[in-house]
Amino acid sequence: MSKYSKLHLYNTLTRKIEEFRPIDPKHVKIYTCGPTVYSTPHIGNFAAYIYWDLLIRTLKFNNYVPYRVLNLTDVGHLTSDGDEGEDKLEKGARQSGKSVWEVAGYYASLFLKDFLSLNLISPDVIAKATDYIEEDKALVDQLISKGYTYETSDGIYFDTSKLPTYADFAQLNLNNLKAGARVEFSTEKRNLSDFAVWKFIQPGEKHAMRWDYLGRPGYPGWHLECSSIIHAELGEPIDIHTGGIDHIPVHHTNEIAQTLAAFDKQLSHYWLHCDHLRSEGKKISKSLGNGYTMQDLVDKGYSPLDFKMWVLQGHYQSERSFSLTDLEAARRRRLSWRNAAALSKQEVFNETDKENLMHEILSEVKAELNNNLNSAAAFAIIDANTLIIPEYWHEIDALFGLGIYEDAPEPSSKQLELIKKWEEAYDKHDYVESDAIREDLKIDNFRVTNTPKGPIWQYIR
């Protein structure tokens, strides 16, 4: 039996690869940190959701039933990861001349449109932060009642010194934290690592999204929403929490602290974090303005699924450097798979006697995915065995969501007639006629080639 006949994942909590053992033998509870919907999402954002889509598909392949919640941050995320700066939604509204509600609605719709274009499995729940304000208030009430908070002029803060295990997850050395190294330092904070669970709106401060709490207008701290949503939609503890490595030292550390302090429960048994994409030697980010959008790639002639192919050629824990040259190579690889799927649909290449071999190949692919989602190694196995009978291309599509089989439509009756005429002209050595028919087929994205077994059709792009 393969070492990875069962799913193994790298757990940030323990800093090692472990066999995945869900709380329930069948059902798996998952939470994914979603986007802050204040501007156009870039490809760096979507790489993470591609990795977590692979996680969902791998869980399904292992006969688990995943139930996933993804949040949309539409309030409270300040321009720093701490508690300073302008709310990102307010910033987006100021720059666009729209209301914060319009900005959030527009960019949430754009995110979901691009999300679906990547053939990503939709979460079971898409949770908008603004739909959980009452849950946020209840969580702050709980933290106050248990003595974990204190009030300053600008908000209610979590006192990290009250939780001895606060620094464990990110392995922080709180004694060596310098003012400004992690958050903007406020003289009202008791500890540099303390964070706001609720922010008060100051006199004269423009903040359109506001709710009354403790007799004053305000809004929830960014970190609070994830704990509130998980508590409401999944219950603690969950099986898997996913996010980016930048979430580890602040956002996820604070989530863990809030939940443990409020409910005396571990937030998640497994934590998965993906590394960043880079462009021009820097992390792709909205603030740096160095990221392509999905529409940018479409405008350059690429399918969103070509980008998904490129992402899955690497590993979620590796820092990746994006380039259009590499994207073109991924497009060609995906095209070769689509043409292999096209061949599998043609009678001349239907070799059903390979069924036992295909079961072995799928077992090898599964073993690589069970090895901490090693899609790159799985792809190498597929490359070496592309002449797969049709039902197995369906399996490959189910595993990776790359549209290989769906993007391999058979020629229409008109196109099949042209292929037949091409074969007749070619057999008669009428190359002028056969070349003319070939050009007609190219218009429809088909090419035809003669083989010892007869003519085959494939795709040009």
Side-chain angles (χ1 to χ4, degrees), residues 314-345:
H315 194 265
Y316 76 95
Q317 287 182 284
S318 299
E319 185 178 82
R320 309 282 302 287
S321 181
F322 176 81
S323 73
L324 291 175
T325 300
D326 290 340
L327 180 61
E328 174 60 22
R331 183 195 70 80
R332 290 181 180 278
R333 188 182 203 177
R334 181 169 169 269
L335 177 61
S336 73
W337 286 18
R338 289 170 56 220
N339 278 326
L343 287 176
S344 75
K345 293 182 177 184

Side-chain angles (χ1 to χ4, degrees), residues 178-198:
K178 303 295 183 182
R182 182 161 178 262
V183 297
E184 295 288 339
F185 181 66
S186 167
T187 55
E188 292 186 81
K189 282 187 178 183
R190 295 178 181 173
N191 311 285
L192 290 175
S193 53
D194 293 353
F195 59 94
V197 293
W198 190 270

Side-chain angles (χ1 to χ4, degrees), residues 14 46 49 51 59 108 146-147 151 172 180 190 233 237 346 353 369 375 388 400 416 446 459:
T14 59
F46 284 109
Y49 304 117
Y51 292 133
L59 286 166
K146 296 187 74 172
E151 184 173 332
L172 299 172
R190 295 178 181 173
E233 298 293 345
Q346 298 171 65
D353 60 324
L369 293 180
S375 52
I388 300 174
F400 300 106
L416 287 171
F446 288 98
Y459 305 105

Side-chain angles (χ1 to χ4, degrees), residues 139 223-231 236 255 258-259 267:
L139 178 51
H223 317 295
L224 194 74
E225 70 185 71
C226 293
S227 291
S228 296
I229 292 169
I230 289 172
H231 185 67
E236 307 84 2
E255 278 186 56
Q258 291 165 162
T259 296
L267 180 55

